[in-house]
Amino acid sequence: MSVIKNIGAIAKGMSITFGEMLQPTTVENYPDGPGPLKGAQFQERFRGTHVLQRDENGLEKCVACFLCAAACPSNCIYIEAAENTAEQRISGAERYAKVYNIDYNRCIFCGYCVEACPTDAITHGHGFESATFNASALVYRKEQMLSPTPAHMGSNSVFNHADVEAGAPALPQAGS
Amino acid sequence: MADLTLTVDGKKLTAPAGTLLIEACKSVGIEVPSFCYYPNLSLQGACRMCLVKIEKMPKLQTACTTVISEGMVVATDSDEVRQARKSMVELLLGNHPLDCPVCDAGGECELQDMAFSYGAAESKFMEAKNHKDEQQWSPVVYFDRPRCILCYRCVRVCGEGMDVWALGVQNRGVSSVIAPNKQDHLECEECGMCIDICPVGALTSGAYRYKTRPWEMNHIGTTCTHCADGCKTTLGVRRSDTGMEIVRGDNRDKSGINNDFLCIKGRYAFDFAHSTERLTQPLIRKDGKLSPATWEEAFALAGKNFAEIRTAHGGEAIGVVGSSRTTNEENYLLSKFARMVLGTNNVDHHRTADFPALAAALRGKSGQTASMRDVLSAPAILLIGNNPTEQHPLLAWQIRSNVRLRRAKLYVVNSQPIKLRRQAAGFAQIPAGAEAHAVAFLAGDDAALDHLVHQSATRESLLALRDKLRAETGLVVAFSSEIRGADVARLVHSKFAGAKFIALADYANSRGAADMGLYPDLLPGYEPLTTDSRFAQEWGTLPTVPGLTVPAMAAAAKAGTLKALYVVGANPVARFGLDPFAFSGSFVVVQDMFLTETALMADIVLPAANAYEKSGTFTNTCGDLQLVKKAGEVAGVKSDFEMIVRIADAMGFEVRKLVPFGGGTHADMGQSRGAQSGEADRHSVWLEAHGLEPRMSPFDPVAIFDEIQRLVPSYHVSRLDLLAGNDQHTDIGEAGPGAAHDPNLIIPANDDLFSSGTLGRYSHTLNSVMENKNAPAPSEVGAD
């Protein structure tokens, strides 16, 4: 009886093997794959380089509370805070991050900063191609991590007229 | 008072009758939470956080206003009490904005702590919070009304503690609001005590605003570098582009002689260190202009010229001016350098009190000088001259606290109706300049009365005042710099039973400069220039002819006999009103932070570190010795200590004779693993904190401090206590014989709360407050 049982088990196993052979391939062909991601595929939860989010008005969500820096186990976040003024409003609260650097030499992508953030300003994006020949290029500045101004904040927005007049692009730029 | 026994949470405890229940609980380690209760301030009973259950009382009672009684049975942790605390926190949070991420108090907020310990995570309130915009009351005080929990600590500390009464309460009940004295802004001493004492972020500091968060800083306890009171200040530092930036000053750990007190200068005026006008590169005069140079060039040139002038013209042709703001070790080293390396007694500094006369008057009598702590506990205090509220804020605080808390009697003799007269049991307003006559009268010379009768000070009132003073025992006498020379001896020898004395000087280490022998005729410890002194034995042959004072140096330079001048952290041109062209024929080396009037005429200017950027000790005007620890760091400057040693080295002098370094504990300062800037120094702070003294390098002040303790008898204090961060009183009565000097050499600095010599000129905060508008012009301000 055990022979029949064994044959049954082999048949069950091989059916999965042959069944998979008929499915389309799931092997990633990075970096030779198609599209801007060059074949790379991500789960939604993948923790890549950070993105600093904006609120519905296009203002930065970060209020420079330093909680991400406090939570960071590798001490890679550097912040300098400054005060919003009526003329120059950067964030929704009283203060904003004048300087926000993440040192990707040290970052271990643990996500504690994202958990600590009280305003959901810092999130993990899907950026992963940060390899470089120059270590100093791994210190990312705020401008490199900020999410683009949302589409509805284009030339109709009252919030960024000054920026647009000063030469800022009215519409979001790819990769900015 | 008799001891009473009571039971708290089943624990039996005894405390003196009259003790508050909250304090009794604290004494056995039972924490009763509170906001409005603050030791040494009047009781408020406003926050209701300290509710406890006392048996046989129908309702919960506030522990902060209940005095203990015999047999009392108290429960501080029952369900009922916990529920009450939870409700209290909920009510306090009812309109609190919960903007902790943007609040400067976040991380060190008592309401945060209470909410974590006793509060509930959720609130029953659904109503929209009542928002009011933040107000700026002065350049250093911001008020955020919704954050305020109405504990009234600020109102009480400003009124009772500071005697300023600039804050008050408007409206009643739930509409109560803290209000400044001038409608929409404050006009006060800008001491920042209200900010410091605020348990939440309602009052925040303009200087520290949004700079960093509490957990981001390192905290270093050091001694303030402004007036001569020697407050301990805890500096919060953070790494910056050019080293370590000081971002905050306070004394929340209540250590040191000042408890939690600091004035505007101690709390905010560290910002001169980050002035953009700070020198960060040595300057050498080339073709009539000061141009940047390297350290090696500067030291080599200074050493070569000093050595040549000494060889060609002798040590008498070189003058040395020391500072009242450098550490004891630096002053001692300068004194030693002048006598041993330059071979000159032409050493002087800007004198602001007659310490040699005090040393002479108290010679051989120990225990007759008062420490700053004595002022807080003395039964009676006599203040002659000076206006401590402006010039010695800590002394004034100690006097006010003593009068308020211990009912000490204060007697004031002054030519002005100074503010401290409000605390005085006796006040005599004497004519301007009659301080010396007042001393003669107090010493028993009735003929001096004729010079004193003035306005309200009648013959009878003055006699009555003297009788009262003679009846006091344990009097502390603080006298201003107008009392000089023979008057000091007259005062010390007047018949006051058990009196202790304080001579009031003006700069952070004026006393240290005097103690360390920055005089043309005195060695450290007020020792005379004899050939058989301890110093002659230790240092070798020393010149014994008294040298030149600063004005005499200028005259000698004009006459062409003074060929070189070495100025360490002083500004004699501005302070003594010297003609800068007098020195045009001399070789002048100046070590300073800024291009002062004196530095402008120099041949070499060396950028110096200030007292917040180096280690050592300071002695305050009472003689309390305290540690100075390195907190800030600015790239491109060196300590005066290092510069003196390197000039001696450039002169070809054997440095080990000057600084007996080596032979101490050998320790790895981090160099073997490539320590980063600042790290090694933190390591040495750690070593010092553990009683290990490196003494490895010729730039280590500890090596000189060893020598000071060995050779200056009044500095025989406990090294252990000193290293632990405590103040140690040095008794000038144990010092050498002192000397009689020309009284005209004492020039008071006349700094007030908003000025601080050269440092005040470059302090943004001191110059930004509107109360500073009446300050004297920079050219009139004292300069070292």
Side-chain angles (χ1 to χ4, degrees):
Chain A
M1 287 307 285
S2 63
V3 176
I4 296 168
K5 225 179 185 178
N6 288 349
I7 290 170
I10 290 169
K12 191 180 172 194
M14 293 312 281
S15 71
I16 292 171
T17 306
F18 290 119
E20 285 295 319
M21 285 170 83
L22 300 173
Q23 298 293 321
T25 178
T26 56
V27 176
E28 288 180 22
N29 199 19
Y30 177 80
D32 300 323
L37 290 173
K38 297 184 236 169
Q41 289 175 24
F42 297 110
Q43 296 299 317
E44 266 304 297
R45 62 171 186 262
F46 174 73
R47 297 195 294 260
T49 48
H50 299 85
V51 176
L52 293 171
Q53 301 293 343
R54 293 177 186 274
D55 65 11
E56 60 273 23
N57 296 322
L59 297 168
E60 290 171 17
K61 278 187 173 179
C62 177
V63 296
C65 73
F66 290 68
L67 283 178
C68 48
C72 182
S74 58
N75 203 8
C76 67
I77 303 181
Y78 176 84
I79 306 171
E80 281 176 25
E83 191 167 4
N84 284 312
T85 56
E87 296 77 39
Q88 201 200 14
R89 178 153 283 282
I90 308 287
S91 80
E94 290 152 40
R95 49 195 263 178
Y96 71 96
K98 187 174 68 180
V99 176
Y100 192 108
N101 294 344
I102 295 182
D103 184 351
Y104 283 104
N105 289 296
R106 304 186 68 150
C107 178
I108 57 169
F109 299 92
C110 65
Y112 284 10
C113 49
V114 178
E115 294 228 357
C117 185
T119 60
D120 290 339
I122 186 165
T123 58
H124 274 295
H126 285 176
F128 68 104
E129 289 177 306
S130 37
T132 172
F133 285 110
N134 185 353
S136 63
L138 282 173
V139 180
Y140 280 29
R141 289 171 296 111
K142 183 176 91 171
E143 293 73 14
Q144 289 166 278
M145 293 183 283
L146 262 180
S147 71
T149 321
H152 75 276
M153 300 301 301
S155 49
N156 288 335
S157 156
V158 294
F159 288 93
N160 62 359
H161 269 321
D163 286 350
V164 172
E165 278 158 20
L171 290 169
Q173 305 289 298
S176 66
Chain B
M1 274 190 273
D3 280 357
L4 302 178
T5 308
L6 64 156
T7 313
V8 180
D9 292 348
K11 252 190 221 179
K12 276 225 175 315
L13 66 100
T14 43
T19 310
L20 292 169
L21 183 54
I22 195 168
E23 287 290 337
C25 290
K26 201 193 276 175
S27 70
V28 291
I30 296 171
E31 191 202 6
V32 178
S34 72
F35 289 112
C36 69
Y37 175 72
Y38 198 86
N40 295 343
L41 292 182
S42 64
L43 305 178
Q44 190 80 34
C47 73
R48 321 307 287 177
M49 268 305 283
C50 63
L51 290 173
V52 291
K53 176 71 188 165
I54 302 175
E55 257 180 36
K56 295 179 188 159
M57 292 205 185
K59 286 183 174 177
L60 298 180
Q61 301 292 315
T62 50
C64 74
T65 55
T66 309
V67 177
I68 58 166
S69 60
E70 183 65 38
M72 202 179 229
V73 180
V74 184
T76 69
D77 201 26
S78 65
D79 288 344
E80 189 187 7
V81 170
R82 272 201 296 271
Q83 182 55 44
R85 284 177 192 161
K86 198 180 258 185
S87 308
M88 279 305 145
V89 173
E90 190 178 348
L91 285 170
L92 288 173
L93 293 176
N95 198 44
H96 195 81
L98 297 178
D99 56 352
C100 307
V102 293
C103 173
D104 266 341
E108 50 184 11
C109 169
E110 292 179 37
L111 185 57
Q112 267 184 342
D113 294 347
M114 298 278 187
F116 273 101
S117 307
Y118 305 109
E122 286 176 13
S123 168
K124 293 194 264 303
F125 298 115
M126 304 294 286
E127 294 76 9
K129 297 198 180 192
N130 182 11
H131 179 73
K132 290 275 186 298
D133 281 341
E134 196 175 18
Q135 302 165 14
Q136 185 178 14
W137 283 350
S138 87
V140 295
V141 183
Y142 281 74
F143 179 62
D144 192 310
R145 182 174 161 187
R147 288 184 193 151
C148 177
I149 58 167
L150 292 171
C151 67
Y152 308 116
R153 277 192 202 174
C154 51
V155 176
R156 284 175 288 156
V157 78
C158 185
E160 298 165 14
M162 296 302 299
D163 195 25
V164 169
W165 306 97
L167 294 172
V169 187
Q170 270 176 358
N171 309 336
R172 307 211 107 190
V174 288
S175 326
S176 298
V177 56
I178 306 295
N181 58 353
K182 301 283 172 182
Q183 311 298 330
D184 62 341
H185 71 279
L186 270 173
E187 274 176 43
C188 62
E189 294 182 9
E190 307 285 358
C191 65
M193 288 296 287
C194 51
I195 299 166
D196 203 32
I197 210 167
C198 181
V200 295
L203 286 159
T204 51
S205 153
Y208 171 65
R209 192 171 174 77
Y210 300 161
K211 281 245 179 84
T212 185
R213 315 281 335 238
W215 60 83
E216 287 273 304
M217 290 182 284
N218 282 336
H219 298 275
I220 290 136
T222 184
T223 309
C224 177
T225 184
H226 291 282
C227 83
D229 284 348
C231 289
K232 201 166 169 194
T233 166
T234 306
L235 298 175
V237 296
R238 195 188 173 200
R239 194 168 293 291
S240 75
D241 297 347
T242 57
M244 295 295 268
E245 185 190 2
I246 306 170
V247 289
R248 186 171 78 167
D250 64 20
N251 205 34
R252 280 317 289 160
D253 63 355
K254 302 186 177 185
S255 61
I257 49 180
N258 48 318
N259 201 328
D260 51 358
F261 171 79
L262 280 179
C263 71
I264 176 169
K265 287 193 264 188
R267 203 180 294 282
Y268 303 116
F270 49 77
D271 52 356
F272 63 84
H274 308 294
S275 163
T276 50
E277 292 177 58
R278 187 109 189 246
L279 299 173
T280 53
Q281 221 176 346
L283 304 173
I284 294 181
R285 191 170 297 281
K286 287 174 189 153
D287 309 324
K289 271 168 78 179
L290 284 171
S291 13
T294 65
W295 283 102
E296 285 67 30
E297 268 182 89
F299 286 132
L301 183 64
K304 181 172 100 29
N305 284 358
F306 279 149
E308 278 174 9
I309 291 167
R310 187 195 51 193
T311 317
H313 306 278
E316 317 82 81
I318 308 177
V320 175
V321 183
S323 167
S324 308
R325 273 189 173 136
T326 47
T327 63
N328 287 326
E329 289 77 7
E330 285 164 341
N331 290 337
Y332 182 94
L333 182 70
L334 185 66
S335 193
K336 189 175 178 181
F337 172 81
R339 271 118 186 172
M340 207 173 161
V341 183
L342 299 178
T344 180
N345 272 326
N346 298 339
V347 186
D348 204 356
H349 70 288
H350 169 205
R351 312 171 188 187
T352 51
D354 203 343
F355 291 116
L358 185 65
L362 289 174
R363 170 88 166 135
K365 297 179 206 160
S366 56
Q368 287 216 28
T369 56
S371 70
M372 200 49 100
R373 290 186 191 277
D374 290 338
V375 181
L376 188 61
S377 59
I381 299 156
L382 168 63
L383 178 68
I384 307 172
N386 204 292
N387 181 5
T389 312
E390 293 276 332
Q391 293 166 281
H392 291 274
L394 174 61
L395 184 77
W397 167 269
Q398 300 285 79
I399 292 174
R400 283 194 305 265
S401 303
N402 196 358
V403 170
R404 184 166 57 93
L405 301 171
R406 297 171 202 265
R407 303 191 188 287
K409 294 211 177 66
L410 170 68
Y411 302 95
V412 176
V413 177
N414 206 301
S415 59
Q416 298 295 321
I418 60 167
K419 198 170 164 191
L420 274 176
R421 77 181 189 284
R422 303 191 340 190
Q423 277 74 27
F427 171 60
Q429 187 170 359
I430 57 172
E435 284 87 356
H437 295 299
V439 166
F441 166 67
L442 291 173
D445 177 10
D446 287 346
L449 253 183
D450 301 332
H451 301 282
L452 299 178
V453 176
H454 175 67
Q455 292 182 2
S456 62
T458 59
R459 197 168 266 276
E460 294 70 35
S461 69
L462 286 162
L463 283 167
L465 181 73
R466 187 172 69 180
D467 289 342
K468 274 198 241 171
L469 282 168
R470 283 182 173 164
E472 296 288 355
T473 50
L475 190 68
V476 165
V477 182
F479 57 91
S480 70
S481 60
E482 281 85 12
I483 318 296
R484 302 167 186 180
D487 295 329
V488 175
R490 206 167 287 144
L491 183 63
V492 167
H493 298 134
S494 51
K495 299 277 176 281
F496 296 133
K500 293 178 168 187
F501 297 90
I502 298 173
L504 297 174
D506 292 340
Y507 293 114
N509 206 22
S510 286
R511 172 67 179 270
D515 282 356
M516 293 304 122
L518 292 183
Y519 287 106
D521 56 347
L522 286 175
L523 292 169
Y526 307 99
E527 291 290 339
L529 301 167
T530 50
T531 46
D532 58 344
S533 68
R534 283 189 299 280
F535 298 96
Q537 285 164 18
E538 186 96 7
W539 296 354
T541 319
L542 302 177
T544 49
V545 183
L548 303 173
T549 60
V550 171
M553 285 181 209
K558 210 167 216 167
T561 52
L562 194 86
K563 304 287 182 195
L565 184 72
Y566 181 30
V567 182
V568 176
N571 188 358
V573 168
R575 197 53 229 157
F576 290 82
L578 303 180
D579 173 14
F581 296 101
F583 295 97
S584 49
S586 313
F587 172 68
V588 182
V589 179
V590 174
Q591 294 175 193
D592 211 312
M593 281 196 290
F594 302 102
L595 264 187
T596 60
E597 291 84 345
T598 307
L600 276 173
M601 64 157 199
D603 295 288
I604 300 179
V605 184
L606 301 170
N610 60 57
Y612 291 147
E613 295 161 1
K614 59 194 174 191
S615 302
T617 56
F618 267 1
T619 312
N620 77 358
T621 193
C622 307
D624 302 331
L625 183 68
Q626 296 185 93
L627 276 190
V628 172
K629 283 192 187 167
K630 179 171 175 175
E633 189 175 70
V634 170
V637 304
K638 289 187 190 298
S639 72
D640 291 303
F641 195 98
E642 177 177 349
M643 291 192 277
I644 297 169
V645 173
R646 290 191 63 168
I647 289 177
D649 181 49
M651 289 176 70
F653 193 80
E654 163 79 78
V655 166
R656 200 176 287 269
K657 281 191 198 158
L658 193 64
V659 184
F661 69 99
T665 312
H666 283 262
D668 181 357
M669 307 295 280
Q671 63 274 51
S672 61
R673 60 187 167 86
Q676 291 170 332
S677 161
E679 206 176 331
D681 191 73
R682 276 213 293 282
H683 191 70
S684 75
V685 168
W686 182 89
L687 282 175
E688 273 182 40
H690 288 76
L692 304 167
E693 298 156 343
R695 277 177 300 194
M696 283 181 57
S697 91
F699 310 134
D700 186 355
V702 176
I704 282 290
F705 189 65
D706 282 345
E707 192 175 314
I708 296 175
Q709 287 215 297
R710 203 170 65 239
L711 297 180
V712 181
S714 56
Y715 279 68
H716 288 173
V717 296
S718 161
R719 175 81 74 94
L720 206 64
D721 266 351
L722 188 71
L723 287 175
N726 299 324
D727 49 297
Q728 290 288 297
H729 188 66
T730 65
D731 193 335
I732 205 169
E734 292 164 8
H741 286 149
D742 177 5
N744 293 325
L745 288 168
I746 293 172
I747 306 169
N750 294 327
D751 280 329
D752 60 14
L753 272 176
F754 307 105
S755 67
S756 184
T758 303
L759 305 187
R761 281 196 234 174
Y762 295 96
S763 165
H764 172 73
T765 309
L766 287 186
N767 290 311
S768 67
V769 293
M770 64 183 294
E771 290 84 353
N772 191 24
K773 63 187 184 294
N774 298 326
S779 59
E780 296 164 27
V781 168
D784 37 348

